[in-house]
Amino acid sequence: MMFLTSVLTGGQWFLPVIVVLVAAALLASYAKKKKLAKLEKVLNILGYVFMFLLMVILWIMYYRKEMAFSSAFIYTAIVIYTIMSVKY
């Protein structure tokens, strides 16, 4: 199984991230069905934190000259728009 993650990402972090995101998605659908507002809010915040961390990683990659400015800027704009459009 490590060979699969090495081929896809060059590291060993890909599979655990996918497992965590799938678990969060399953929990979100369960919370929506059972109308558990607090759990939905916690999962939304977890998603926003994940998006923010990914944004920071993209900017680090840009400053290390591993990514184009346009990609980092577009993702940043999407993250800001998504967070600003949230209505609680």
Side-chain angles (χ1 to χ4, degrees):
M1 192 54 129
M2 280 180 39
F3 175 74
L4 177 65
T5 57
S6 297
V7 170
L8 292 176
T9 65
Q12 298 178 7
W13 58 270
F14 184 69
L15 187 61
V17 169
I18 294 298
V19 169
V20 168
L21 291 177
V22 167
L26 291 173
L27 271 173
S29 66
Y30 174 76
K32 188 169 258 185
K33 282 182 185 178
K34 298 292 184 178
K35 296 185 173 131
L36 302 171
K38 287 186 179 183
L39 182 59
E40 279 188 75
K41 190 172 183 178
V42 167
L43 290 171
N44 283 338
I45 291 171
L46 177 69
Y48 298 137
V49 167
F50 181 74
M51 288 189 323
F52 181 76
L53 290 175
L54 187 58
M55 184 178 67
V56 169
I57 290 169
L58 288 174
W59 280 104
I60 290 171
M61 288 174 65
Y62 165 71
Y63 284 114
R64 292 180 65 193
K65 307 290 186 212
E66 297 175 14
M67 170 176 279
F69 174 78
S70 59
S71 299
F73 179 76
I74 289 170
Y75 187 78
T76 301
I78 290 170
V79 168
I80 290 171
Y81 175 76
T82 302
I83 291 173
M84 296 295 284
S85 66
V86 173
K87 296 177 183 160
Y88 283 106

